Amino acid sequence: METFPHQPRRRHCQKRAFKYLSFMAFLSALTVPAAICAKPILAEPLLDGGKLVLTNGVSSVEGASGGGLATWATIAGMGTDRAIGVSGHVTGIALPDYGWQSHGIAIGILDRVEISYARQNFDTRKVGLALGLGEGFRFNQDIFGAKVRLAGDIVYGSPIVPQVTLGIQHKRSLDAAIVRAVGAGSAHGTDFTISATKLFLANSVLVNATARLTNANQFGLLGFGGGQGASRSVQFEGSLAYMLSPRLVVGGEYRTRPNNLMIAHEDNAHDVFVAWAFTRNATVTAAYADVGSVATFDGQRGALVSLQLAF
Amino acid sequence: MSIFLALALITGQSATPTPQDALPQSAEAIDWDKEFGAEKRVADTVTGELPVDAYVQSEDNVGAKPFQGDALARALGGQAGIKAIVERLVELSKADPRIEAIFQNQDMVRLRRTLFEQICFIANAGCSYTGRDMKAAHKGLGITRADMNALVENLQRAMREQRVPFAAQNRLLAKLAPMERDIQER
C-alpha cells in the first residue's frame, strides 16, 4: 500500500464501473468510468507542460530553441521526456537600415528531438533602392531545423556534464535569382550544429557553446557560398546568462560568421538580452543586437524583441 | 444525446437502492488491504511514524556532499528557517494537483522529519541525517521528471516565501539536482 498510492482509488473506480456496465452495456467502456468516477484516472496528457520555466530556451532567429542569436542544446516546448511540447515565436529586429522579422514553430518530442520551422523576412527599406532591387525589397528564407539530444541534461544529472545536441538546419532562400546575382553559389544550404548547454545552478549561470558548420551568407538571407569560398567553415556561437529569478534571465551572446561574398563583408554578431517568462507559457525577450555590416551598410545594431509561447 | 442522459439518470437512480449495495460486499465495505494481503502498519506511539524496512543508517544516505561553511545555513534561516521551508514544501506539494497523488498514504510525519534532516545536514546547519538513501526512499513511487520539476517549483516557492535569496536557493538546488538519477523511475 505504501508503494502504490494510486491503487485504492483506481480499484474503487473499476469496481463501480463493472457494476454499472451490467446496466449500461450499450454505453462504451470508455464513457462509463468517466461518468462514474468523480476523479477518473486519466491517461497521461500528450502535452504535459512539465518542464521548468525557461529550460526550453527562447526561440532563436532561425527557429531552433536557444538564445536570440544562437542555437542552444535545449529542446523546444514545455514537454518532459514523457510528452511532447510545442512553441511558437515572433521576432522583430529594428536595424538602422533594415527591418528583420522572423516567425516560426517548433515541436519537442520526449525532450529528445526538436523539429522547427521559421520564416525570415528581411526588409531592405531604402537600401533596396540603392542596391537596385527597389525600395522595401524583402529577402525571404525558410528554415527547416531538427535537433536530437545526445546526452546530458541542462539542469539534472552531473553538475558539470552539459546537455549536448546535434542539429541540422536546411535553409532555402526564396530569392534565388537575386542571391545568385550578388555572388552566392547557391540559394539553399544546410548548416550542421553541435551544441552544449548547462545551467550551473551553484552559480545561477547558464553557459552555451555551439559549433556550426555553415556556408550561409547573412544567416542565409544572401544565399550560400560565394566568390571568397563556397565550402562550409566551422563557426562559433557562445552564450552566457545569469538567472535573476526562476523567470528572469539576463545575458549576452556572440556569433562568428563566414565571409564568402566578394561584394560585401560580414561581421561577427553579438547581443545582450533579457528574457522574462511573464507566465509559465509566455516569454518575452528584449535584446540589443549588433550584426555589423549587412550588404555594404555598416554598423547594423538595434533592438530585438521576441515573443514566445510554449506549451 | 438527451435520451442517453435520461437513460443514464434512470439507470443510475435504480442502481443506487439495489440490495446489492446494502451488502458488505459493496466497494466501500471491502477491506482492500486484507484482500490484497497488505500488512497494516501501526504508527509508533512516540514518534507518530510508521515502521519502514530495516536499513543501515549512514550520512552517505543523504545523497550529497554537505556545504563546508555556514553561509547557506544562514541564508536558509538556520534550523528554524529550514523547518518552515520543509513544512511549506510538504503543504504545497500535498495540495498540488500535479503531484498530490504521490503523497497519498505516505508517512508524512517521517517525510517532514527526514526532509528537514536532509536539507539541514546538506546546508551544514547542525543536523545529522538518519533517513534512507534516495533510491530506497523513492522506491515504487513511479516518479517522473515532471513530478520532480513540480516539487522543485514548490521548493522554490517555499524558499522565496522565507525570503531566501535566489542565488542561495540555487546553491541548495545544485546539491539536490544530481539526486535525479536515484529518484526518477519512469
Side-chain angles (χ1 to χ4, degrees):
Chain A
M1 189 170 118
E2 181 202 19
T3 48
F4 299 101
H6 297 271
Q7 283 213 350
R9 199 168 65 191
R10 187 177 295 161
R11 284 202 303 266
H12 174 77
C13 283
Q14 282 167 351
K15 175 82 180 172
R16 294 279 294 269
F18 182 73
K19 199 160 62 185
Y20 273 69
L21 266 172
S22 59
F23 289 104
M24 302 160 78
F26 55 88
L27 285 181
S28 81
L30 269 176
T31 57
V32 171
I36 293 163
C37 301
K39 275 175 115 179
I41 308 295
L42 296 169
E44 284 185 62
L46 192 60
L47 296 166
D48 72 348
K51 271 204 189 108
L52 289 168
V53 174
L54 289 174
T55 58
N56 55 326
V58 298
S59 301
S60 70
V61 286
E62 283 149 321
S65 67
L69 281 177
T71 290
W72 292 358
T74 45
I75 299 293
M78 294 298 282
T80 65
D81 55 352
R82 297 170 66 79
I84 69 164
V86 293
S87 68
H89 85 277
V90 179
T91 299
I93 309 176
L95 298 170
D97 298 302
Y98 304 100
W100 191 5
Q101 186 269 334
S102 80
H103 55 269
I105 59 163
I107 300 170
I109 302 163
L110 305 179
D111 198 26
R112 174 66 64 185
V113 173
E114 173 185 299
I115 296 164
S116 61
Y117 164 77
R119 159 63 71 86
Q120 288 186 350
N121 305 305
F122 194 82
D123 187 341
T124 58
R125 295 187 195 151
K126 286 204 169 62
V127 174
L129 204 58
L131 296 175
L133 297 167
E135 183 169 342
F137 177 84
R138 286 180 186 185
F139 287 95
N140 310 99
Q141 72 168 336
D142 286 323
I143 303 172
F144 303 90
K147 262 195 256 180
V148 60
R149 181 165 61 86
L150 299 179
D153 190 281
I154 290 174
V155 180
Y156 292 104
S158 160
I160 52 164
V161 174
Q163 178 160 322
V164 178
T165 58
L166 202 59
I168 182 167
Q169 288 175 357
H170 180 65
K171 305 178 174 188
R172 300 189 75 86
S173 166
L174 303 180
D175 306 286
I178 292 160
V179 300
R180 284 209 191 84
V182 301
S186 175
H188 51 84
T190 305
D191 291 359
F192 299 92
T193 58
I194 183 159
S195 305
T197 308
K198 189 71 185 178
L199 173 59
F200 295 99
L201 269 169
N203 308 101
S204 305
V205 167
L206 183 139
V207 180
N208 175 73
T210 296
R212 179 187 294 266
L213 195 61
T214 180
N215 61 350
N217 310 322
Q218 290 296 350
F219 303 95
L221 287 161
L222 297 182
F224 301 83
Q228 299 200 7
S231 59
R232 295 186 184 92
S233 58
V234 176
Q235 303 294 329
F236 172 76
E237 288 159 34
S239 309
L240 197 65
Y242 184 78
M243 289 193 80
L244 292 167
S245 88
R247 296 194 167 187
L248 189 64
V249 178
V250 293
E253 298 185 286
Y254 195 83
R255 177 167 174 171
T256 69
R257 298 189 291 164
N259 215 350
N260 302 321
L261 292 177
M262 303 289 274
I263 61 154
H265 80 276
E266 231 176 287
D267 296 317
N268 295 334
H270 50 94
D271 72 21
V272 288
F273 69 86
V274 52
W276 175 43
F278 57 96
T279 76
R280 266 192 78 78
N281 304 108
T283 304
V284 63
T285 306
Y288 181 73
D290 185 343
V291 295
S293 180
V294 180
T296 75
F297 283 72
D298 293 344
Q300 299 302 318
R301 55 185 79 95
L304 174 154
V305 177
S306 180
L307 177 70
Q308 177 189 263
L309 297 178
F311 297 92
Chain B
M1 188 66 196
S2 58
I3 294 170
F4 276 86
L5 199 67
L7 269 171
L9 278 171
I10 292 160
T11 51
Q13 275 170 355
S14 67
T16 329
T18 50
Q20 240 188 338
D21 277 278
L23 293 171
Q25 283 300 307
S26 75
E28 288 75 12
I30 292 173
D31 185 346
W32 286 109
D33 289 339
K34 200 177 161 192
E35 295 284 320
F36 280 79
E39 216 175 298
K40 202 148 234 157
R41 296 175 302 161
V42 182
D44 187 290
T45 48
V46 180
T47 62
E49 292 182 14
L50 298 172
V52 296
D53 291 340
Y55 62 95
V56 180
Q57 273 193 19
S58 160
E59 290 191 331
D60 294 337
N61 286 351
V62 82
K65 204 167 153 282
F67 282 88
Q68 291 293 319
D70 67 344
L72 184 68
R74 277 190 287 117
L76 294 173
Q79 290 197 8
I82 294 167
K83 188 140 260 168
I85 290 163
V86 167
E87 290 295 323
R88 184 68 175 137
L89 167 63
V90 171
E91 183 186 20
L92 287 169
S93 298
K94 272 178 72 180
D96 186 337
R98 298 173 294 179
I99 54 174
E100 50 93 16
I102 297 167
F103 297 93
Q104 284 180 13
N105 292 312
Q106 298 298 324
D107 184 347
M108 302 309 280
V109 178
R110 182 181 171 87
L111 175 68
R112 284 190 182 89
R113 175 177 65 81
T114 51
L115 207 49
F116 166 76
E117 285 181 6
Q118 185 180 32
I119 295 176
C120 181
F121 177 76
I122 291 172
N124 195 20
C127 305
S128 48
Y129 179 71
T130 63
R132 292 172 288 181
D133 65 52
M134 290 303 98
K135 203 165 194 120
H138 295 88
K139 188 167 182 287
L141 294 176
I143 289 175
T144 64
R145 176 60 57 91
D147 296 334
M148 282 194 301
N149 287 345
L151 188 96
V152 167
E153 286 176 359
N154 293 341
L155 177 56
Q156 285 177 321
R157 181 170 162 191
M159 290 194 287
R160 189 168 65 242
E161 288 176 0
Q162 281 292 313
R163 309 224 177 282
V164 178
F166 184 65
Q169 294 180 24
N170 281 344
R171 283 205 296 281
L172 176 63
L173 291 177
K175 293 284 188 186
L176 307 181
M179 297 175 185
E180 156 260 10
R181 61 177 83 100
D182 290 331
I183 294 173
Q184 185 173 345
E185 285 186 324
R186 60 192 182 107

